[in-house]
Amino acid sequence: MSARTEASAPTAAELLDFVRRSVADKDLIASIPLDPEGRTWVRLEGPGGSEAWLIAWPPGTGTGWHDHAESFGAFATAAGELKEYSLAVRLPASGWKTLELSEGVDRERELGAGQGRAFGKHHVHEVLNESAAGHAVSVHAYYPPLPLIRRFSRSGAVLRLEQVERPEDWQ
């Protein structure tokens, strides 16, 4: 099998369409085990060689601040509600450990069942299930398949690179 060419790679709009169709698949959504303690996930076959995941979020769980490096993607909520906090600023791809963020870069979205969004490369965000009582379920897709995830801590306006995870850390 040959590698996908840039011209045949899925677009962000195609990934968004995929995650929206996936969250409407009631059998798929019902197939994920719900753990009361931590997130659970199942790898899916994404379109055009993309990486896709079905994720269940217990009450009060989240991702922490992170990005998906050179991958763009999309996610949609199937059940419950997810909150996304993001930064409306392009961060340097490498060569830094600590950045001071400008005022006005913070964004917040609530994504209820059936709602989704696409995002570009180097999109820094945090996704949370802020519910105290119910699970949320979502589908996520990325292209190219995730080469790494950079994890950050945030204290006020200061964003600090804490860890770089490779696929073998989560697969």
Side-chain angles (χ1 to χ4, degrees):
M1 184 167 175
S2 64
R4 285 183 66 83
T5 64
E6 199 69 27
S8 64
T11 65
E14 289 169 333
L15 294 181
L16 183 57
D17 181 58
F18 168 79
V19 298
R20 284 182 171 153
R21 282 185 285 110
S22 297
V23 301
D25 182 339
K26 300 215 180 299
D27 291 337
L28 174 66
I29 301 311
S31 73
I32 190 158
L34 302 180
D35 183 324
E37 300 295 318
R39 288 187 299 151
T40 53
W41 53 87
V42 175
R43 180 109 186 226
L44 303 175
E45 187 66 37
S50 64
E51 180 172 343
W53 297 90
L54 172 62
I55 302 174
W57 309 71
T61 59
T63 60
W65 286 96
H66 69 283
D67 76 1
H68 306 101
E70 295 292 327
S71 298
F72 59 89
F75 71 98
T77 304
E81 182 175 275
L82 292 175
K83 184 169 275 188
E84 179 193 35
Y85 296 98
S86 64
L87 301 176
V89 63
R90 176 146 175 123
L91 300 179
S94 62
W96 64 278
K97 290 278 189 191
T98 303
L99 289 175
E100 187 163 347
L101 302 169
S102 302
E103 283 189 39
V105 299
D106 289 292
R107 300 292 181 266
E108 181 179 317
R109 282 184 184 83
E110 292 181 3
L111 298 160
Q115 295 179 309
R117 74 173 314 288
F119 54 86
K121 296 176 180 181
H122 304 290
H123 176 70
V124 177
H125 67 167
E126 175 178 41
V127 180
L128 304 161
N129 175 8
E130 293 185 333
S131 170
H135 272 77
V137 177
S138 58
V139 175
H140 304 244
Y142 312 97
Y143 189 85
L146 296 173
L148 58 89
I149 293 177
R150 296 186 302 177
R151 298 217 175 261
F152 307 99
S153 62
R154 176 137 186 225
S155 178
V158 177
L159 188 71
R160 180 181 311 277
L161 176 64
E162 297 290 347
Q163 180 179 7
V164 176
E165 294 178 3
R166 307 266 177 221
E168 56 270 17
D169 297 327
W170 67 80
Q171 292 185 8

